[in-house]
Amino acid sequence: MSEVPPKTQDELFEFLDSLGIAHTTKRHEPVFTVAESVALRDEIPGGHTKNLFVKDKKDNYFLLTVEENATVDLKTVHTIIGGASKVSFGRPEKLMEYLGVIPGAVTAFGVINDTERQVKIIVDEELMKDEIVNCHPLANDATTSIAPRDLLRFIEATGHEPLVLKVTS
């Protein structure tokens, strides 16, 4: 277990800048659910994300990043993502340990904190069709907009291999 504190939003933005990735961020009141964030749709164009931090029975961890209104079948998704068994939600302690975020702030950007590559990240292929993808920048009081190909480039730059798969119905 790493004793390094999680990256800050500023460190995330510096990392994106160092990669030459264009991004914009809008600050707002904290939102903990997709339902709470609906009011932001008029202000922030693009595809908005829902992120599921799950694990299988062998303690393999996965982060599923999908479009906010998509449905993921947790009884069968393991067959698509390479899980050893059906998946269940990961504990908040592991979420903080691996991705450096709390429940309600889960984000694809969290892989910047997974320096030991404990989490496999899967991005739903439907989300990749949007011109802009919106994710929390490590906290749920802001939304950062980025091009889908740049999100994949960011994930790769953290040492993770992003898998783009059809995980929603």
Side-chain angles (χ1 to χ4, degrees), residues 42-90:
D42 292 339
E43 300 175 41
I44 306 172
H48 293 262
T49 56
K50 170 169 60 179
N51 296 274
L52 307 174
F53 178 67
V54 298
K55 67 180 259 330
D56 66 15
K57 296 228 184 293
K58 290 191 174 182
D59 286 336
N60 295 306
Y61 285 84
F62 305 87
L63 177 62
L64 310 178
T65 298
V66 304
E67 196 275 328
E68 68 181 342
N69 295 312
T71 301
V72 177
D73 184 349
L74 293 180
K75 293 179 182 163
T76 60
V77 75
H78 69 283
T79 63
I80 300 167
I81 64 174
S85 65
K86 290 181 183 175
V87 296
S88 59
F89 288 103

Side-chain angles (χ1 to χ4, degrees), residues 28-38 40 49-51 102-106 136 139-141:
H28 51 71
E29 289 298 314
V31 291
F32 293 89
T33 65
V34 168
E36 289 179 11
S37 66
V38 168
L40 300 171
T49 56
K50 170 169 60 179
N51 296 274
I102 61 170
V106 185
H136 289 310
N140 62 358
D141 61 352

Side-chain angles (χ1 to χ4, degrees), residues 5-52:
K7 301 275 190 230
T8 65
Q9 284 184 6
D10 287 342
E11 289 170 315
L12 169 65
F13 300 147
E14 288 171 14
F15 186 67
L16 291 170
D17 291 343
S18 76
L19 297 171
I21 292 176
H23 58 94
T24 59
T25 298
K26 172 135 180 86
R27 305 248 176 241
H28 51 71
E29 289 298 314
V31 291
F32 293 89
T33 65
V34 168
E36 289 179 11
S37 66
V38 168
L40 300 171
R41 295 306 156 261
D42 292 339
E43 300 175 41
I44 306 172
H48 293 262
T49 56
K50 170 169 60 179
N51 296 274
L52 307 174

Side-chain angles (χ1 to χ4, degrees), residues 80-135:
I80 300 167
I81 64 174
S85 65
K86 290 181 183 175
V87 296
S88 59
F89 288 103
R91 293 193 336 261
E93 301 81 30
K94 289 295 183 185
L95 178 61
M96 177 54 77
E97 178 183 342
Y98 293 153
L99 300 180
V101 296
I102 61 170
V106 185
T107 174
F109 290 131
V111 296
I112 195 171
N113 289 308
D114 184 24
T115 56
E116 296 177 18
R117 294 172 197 70
Q118 298 296 314
V119 179
K120 182 190 261 188
I121 182 159
I122 293 94
V123 180
D124 188 54
E125 69 180 22
E126 289 300 310
L127 184 65
M128 297 306 295
K129 295 176 182 176
D130 286 305
E131 289 184 37
I132 299 170
V133 174
N134 296 292
C135 303

